[in-house]
Amino acid sequence: MEKHFTILCPTDFSECSLNAIEYATRLGEKYQGRLILFHVLNRDDYQKMSPEDTHGRYQVEFVQEKLNNLQDAVWKESQAKGLHSCEIAIREGEIVQGVLEFAQSIQADLIVAGTEGVNELRENIIGSRASRLVENSDRDILIVPRRVFFKTPRKLVFASDYLEEDKLAIQKIVEMARFYGAEVDFVHVSPSLKIMDKTLHEAMIDELKPFVRYDKVNYVLKSYRDDLALALENYLQVAKGDMLVTLSKKKSFFQKVFTKNLSKKMSYFLNKPLWVIKSF
């Protein structure tokens, strides 16, 4: 049986999860993949949508109808555009754990999930679902902020910390970039621009190029004085990046950017999706 690229999109039917479905669908079309819309039954979420059903008697029927409607809408629009299939699934249990376990069971290649914004990811201490999904997932995850609506990406910004895994990650990123004819900015942000930094950057470029084979990759070395996150934010703004990509590895930009001590002035990521590469 042929293995299709599989995208899992958990939804609670909120605005931010609907935006995530849009991203998941558009990517599914390009990958000619299998999209699964997934819901973990949660009484609190259900009560917000159907407060009159105080005992939750009709929760399963309510969720089933919602998922069926979403499935029909997605399939009607995307079948002719390349999406291989659109399925739905419902499970009981704790939401984050349920999503991660189901992702493993179906061997998902990518999880696409919505978030209220960067603060969920940045704090990592408030117990948000998005941050726990990113932290605990063993597979790639794309986080889509609530106010972000899909648009064709023209530039993907890969924040690198010169890891050996960059050689594998860049191939994944280029594959997505090719779908849209998008540029890829391979960016390293350093506290200074000393001769040693430039030499290391040039050496990394020489190592990466044989793995890239794509003529729309730019290699950028930037410096910052105060805050790494603000420097990266500034670069995204100036370069007009449409998506931030990072590895979730020790000492990676993910750990450096999304920590408790970041400047509260950082708001740009509220408007950009974050793709965290977790596996190869």
Side-chain angles (χ1 to χ4, degrees), residues 1-110:
M1 182 176 172
E2 184 181 358
K3 170 71 166 69
H4 290 274
F5 190 92
T6 300
I7 300 174
L8 176 64
C9 188
T11 179
D12 59 4
F13 313 113
S14 63
E15 181 184 356
C16 65
S17 71
L18 293 178
N19 288 350
I21 290 174
E22 179 77 5
Y23 263 88
T25 301
R26 299 293 165 243
L27 290 172
E29 293 169 358
K30 293 298 185 181
Y31 282 102
Q32 298 186 340
R34 173 189 180 206
L35 172 61
I36 302 177
L37 306 177
F38 180 67
H39 181 83
V40 178
L41 297 172
N42 179 273
R43 180 63 64 84
D44 291 337
D45 287 347
Y46 174 64
Q47 288 298 322
K48 294 174 184 177
M49 294 182 289
S50 187
E52 67 279 2
D53 184 12
T54 56
H55 299 290
R57 293 177 181 175
Y58 306 107
Q59 183 176 3
V60 174
E61 292 88 342
F62 179 90
V63 168
Q64 186 73 50
E65 182 179 3
K66 285 273 191 180
L67 285 175
N68 285 338
N69 290 339
L70 284 172
Q71 180 187 32
D72 290 344
V74 167
W75 188 239
K76 181 179 180 180
E77 182 175 345
S78 297
Q79 179 185 12
K81 297 178 181 178
L83 187 67
H84 177 266
S85 62
C86 181
E87 306 163 36
I88 59 175
I90 302 173
R91 294 292 185 274
E92 294 184 354
E94 198 275 327
I95 292 177
V96 172
Q97 192 61 31
V99 170
L100 297 178
E101 289 177 355
F102 190 72
Q104 289 181 330
S105 72
I106 63 171
Q107 296 183 314
D109 297 286
L110 177 67

Side-chain angles (χ1 to χ4, degrees), residues 155-167:
K155 179 172 288 189
L156 309 180
V157 175
F158 177 31
S160 167
D161 211 14
Y162 298 149
L163 298 175
E164 186 66 24
E165 291 88 350
D166 285 355
K167 297 172 185 176

